[in-house]
Amino acid sequence: MGATNRLACYSDPADHYSHRVRLVLAEKGVSVQLIDVDPAHLPRKLAEVNPYGSVPTLVDRDLALYESTVVMEYLEERYPHPPLMPVYPVARGNSRLLMHRIQRDWCALADTVLDPRSSEAARTEARKALRESLTGVSPLFSEFACFMSDEQSLVDCCLLPILWRLPVLGIELPRQAKPLLDYMERQFAREPFQASLSSVEREMRKL
């Protein structure tokens, strides 16, 4: 993934939104120049291509894209194999809705826990809500090999970076969440997922 190419990705090695883009790149086997970014010291080049100075930012020749779902869908169209979205419009719509729900229901809670500006009370409440929500949907993971699908998809790429960070979030899933725990074990062992991890992320689970 580190090979120099016309394609470059500015990425925060600790950020789950950057991680989801790195995971898509790894799933598709795309050669990309990964540029690690410290949010406190943004490189001048990033500010030149992205007025918000945000990560992840993908640069493909003269095109610069930011906002993780925009980048993910661009990569899906730019590199269609292996596909990470269903072929049929109804199924694609359902996948986009699942991505939206992951963002609204789980990523927002994780962001609250991870944000140093959040109060301790807000963090505690968000941590509890995320744990209960993930435990509640755990039975769904016994029905399919992936999340709500038998095929790997962008939906998994949105969810897995959050699940990888559960120890950092201070969340331990109970035994009744076994279908979800089994899903995590399968997914984390896959070669593309391992290739997507930064050294900072490996430390999160001390690999």
Side-chain angles (χ1 to χ4, degrees), residues 1-8 31-34:
M1 287 181 65
T4 302
N5 195 281
R6 289 178 179 172
L7 194 70
S31 293
V32 60
Q33 181 186 9
L34 281 177

PDB file of all heavy atoms in Angstrom, residues 1-8 31-34:
ATOM      1  N   MET A   1       0.815  -1.211   0.000  1.00  0.00           N
ATOM      2  CA  MET A   1       0.000   0.000   0.000  1.00  0.00           C
ATOM      3  C   MET A   1       0.848   1.259   0.000  1.00  0.00           C
ATOM      4  O   MET A   1       0.362   2.338  -0.267  1.00  0.00           O
ATOM      5  CB  MET A   1      -0.919   0.025   1.227  1.00  0.00           C
ATOM      6  CG  MET A   1      -2.079  -0.952   1.146  1.00  0.00           C
ATOM      7  SD  MET A   1      -3.139  -0.867   2.588  1.00  0.00           S
ATOM      8  CE  MET A   1      -3.785   0.794   2.441  1.00  0.00           C
ATOM      9  N   GLY A   2       2.128   1.142   0.352  1.00  0.00           N
ATOM     10  CA  GLY A   2       2.941   2.326   0.467  1.00  0.00           C
ATOM     11  C   GLY A   2       3.664   2.709  -0.814  1.00  0.00           C
ATOM     12  O   GLY A   2       4.419   3.661  -0.825  1.00  0.00           O
ATOM     13  N   ALA A   3       3.455   1.972  -1.897  1.00  0.00           N
ATOM     14  CA  ALA A   3       4.177   2.249  -3.132  1.00  0.00           C
ATOM     15  C   ALA A   3       3.783   3.601  -3.705  1.00  0.00           C
ATOM     16  O   ALA A   3       2.631   3.981  -3.700  1.00  0.00           O
ATOM     17  CB  ALA A   3       3.888   1.161  -4.160  1.00  0.00           C
ATOM     18  N   THR A   4       4.792   4.346  -4.181  1.00  0.00           N
ATOM     19  CA  THR A   4       4.525   5.652  -4.755  1.00  0.00           C
ATOM     20  C   THR A   4       3.703   5.507  -6.027  1.00  0.00           C
ATOM     21  O   THR A   4       3.989   4.669  -6.868  1.00  0.00           O
ATOM     22  CB  THR A   4       5.845   6.376  -5.067  1.00  0.00           C
ATOM     23  OG1 THR A   4       6.593   6.475  -3.857  1.00  0.00           O
ATOM     24  CG2 THR A   4       5.583   7.754  -5.631  1.00  0.00           C
ATOM     25  N   ASN A   5       2.682   6.326  -6.160  1.00  0.00           N
ATOM     26  CA  ASN A   5       1.766   6.225  -7.283  1.00  0.00           C
ATOM     27  C   ASN A   5       1.182   7.608  -7.494  1.00  0.00           C
ATOM     28  O   ASN A   5       1.330   8.504  -6.657  1.00  0.00           O
ATOM     29  CB  ASN A   5       0.673   5.203  -6.955  1.00  0.00           C
ATOM     30  CG  ASN A   5      -0.103   4.780  -8.189  1.00  0.00           C
ATOM     31  OD1 ASN A   5      -0.972   5.503  -8.648  1.00  0.00           O
ATOM     32  ND2 ASN A   5       0.213   3.611  -8.712  1.00  0.00           N
ATOM     33  N   ARG A   6       0.475   7.798  -8.590  1.00  0.00           N
ATOM     34  CA  ARG A   6      -0.228   9.060  -8.785  1.00  0.00           C
ATOM     35  C   ARG A   6      -1.319   9.234  -7.733  1.00  0.00           C
ATOM     36  O   ARG A   6      -1.770  10.327  -7.469  1.00  0.00           O
ATOM     37  CB  ARG A   6      -0.846   9.099 -10.179  1.00  0.00           C
ATOM     38  CG  ARG A   6       0.179   9.243 -11.301  1.00  0.00           C
ATOM     39  CD  ARG A   6      -0.498   9.215 -12.646  1.00  0.00           C
ATOM     40  NE  ARG A   6       0.448   9.363 -13.733  1.00  0.00           N
ATOM     41  CZ  ARG A   6       0.134   9.221 -15.006  1.00  0.00           C
ATOM     42  NH1 ARG A   6      -1.097   8.894 -15.350  1.00  0.00           N
ATOM     43  NH2 ARG A   6       1.039   9.381 -15.954  1.00  0.00           N
ATOM     44  N   LEU A   7      -1.750   8.130  -7.175  1.00  0.00           N
ATOM     45  CA  LEU A   7      -2.794   8.173  -6.163  1.00  0.00           C
ATOM     46  C   LEU A   7      -2.156   8.365  -4.791  1.00  0.00           C
ATOM     47  O   LEU A   7      -1.240   7.643  -4.413  1.00  0.00           O
ATOM     48  CB  LEU A   7      -3.587   6.865  -6.194  1.00  0.00           C
ATOM     49  CG  LEU A   7      -4.909   6.836  -5.440  1.00  0.00           C
ATOM     50  CD1 LEU A   7      -5.953   7.700  -6.132  1.00  0.00           C
ATOM     51  CD2 LEU A   7      -5.410   5.403  -5.321  1.00  0.00           C
ATOM     52  N   ALA A   8      -2.649   9.353  -4.049  1.00  0.00           N
ATOM     53  CA  ALA A   8      -2.127   9.625  -2.707  1.00  0.00           C
ATOM     54  C   ALA A   8      -3.290   9.797  -1.748  1.00  0.00           C
ATOM     55  O   ALA A   8      -4.357  10.293  -2.122  1.00  0.00           O
ATOM     56  CB  ALA A   8      -1.248  10.873  -2.707  1.00  0.00           C
ATOM     57  N   SER A  31      -2.490   0.342  -5.173  1.00  0.00           N
ATOM     58  CA  SER A  31      -1.235   0.958  -4.756  1.00  0.00           C
ATOM     59  C   SER A  31      -1.462   2.448  -4.537  1.00  0.00           C
ATOM     60  O   SER A  31      -1.985   3.136  -5.411  1.00  0.00           O
ATOM     61  CB  SER A  31      -0.153   0.763  -5.822  1.00  0.00           C
ATOM     62  OG  SER A  31       0.188  -0.598  -5.932  1.00  0.00           O
ATOM     63  N   VAL A  32      -1.078   2.934  -3.381  1.00  0.00           N
ATOM     64  CA  VAL A  32      -1.338   4.329  -3.031  1.00  0.00           C
ATOM     65  C   VAL A  32      -0.216   4.837  -2.149  1.00  0.00           C
ATOM     66  O   VAL A  32       0.371   4.084  -1.368  1.00  0.00           O
ATOM     67  CB  VAL A  32      -2.705   4.443  -2.296  1.00  0.00           C
ATOM     68  CG1 VAL A  32      -2.716   3.611  -1.030  1.00  0.00           C
ATOM     69  CG2 VAL A  32      -3.061   5.894  -1.984  1.00  0.00           C
ATOM     70  N   GLN A  33       0.099   6.098  -2.296  1.00  0.00           N
ATOM     71  CA  GLN A  33       1.055   6.730  -1.395  1.00  0.00           C
ATOM     72  C   GLN A  33       0.292   7.210  -0.167  1.00  0.00           C
ATOM     73  O   GLN A  33      -0.517   8.138  -0.252  1.00  0.00           O
ATOM     74  CB  GLN A  33       1.750   7.911  -2.072  1.00  0.00           C
ATOM     75  CG  GLN A  33       2.772   8.598  -1.168  1.00  0.00           C
ATOM     76  CD  GLN A  33       3.350   9.847  -1.783  1.00  0.00           C
ATOM     77  OE1 GLN A  33       2.877  10.310  -2.834  1.00  0.00           O
ATOM     78  NE2 GLN A  33       4.353  10.415  -1.155  1.00  0.00           N
ATOM     79  N   LEU A  34       0.522   6.564   0.969  1.00  0.00           N
ATOM     80  CA  LEU A  34      -0.140   6.958   2.208  1.00  0.00           C
ATOM     81  C   LEU A  34       0.694   8.035   2.898  1.00  0.00           C
ATOM     82  O   LEU A  34       1.887   7.841   3.140  1.00  0.00           O
ATOM     83  CB  LEU A  34      -0.304   5.761   3.138  1.00  0.00           C
ATOM     84  CG  LEU A  34      -1.441   4.796   2.839  1.00  0.00           C
ATOM     85  CD1 LEU A  34      -1.406   3.634   3.828  1.00  0.00           C
ATOM     86  CD2 LEU A  34      -2.792   5.498   2.905  1.00  0.00           C
TER      87      LEU A  34
END
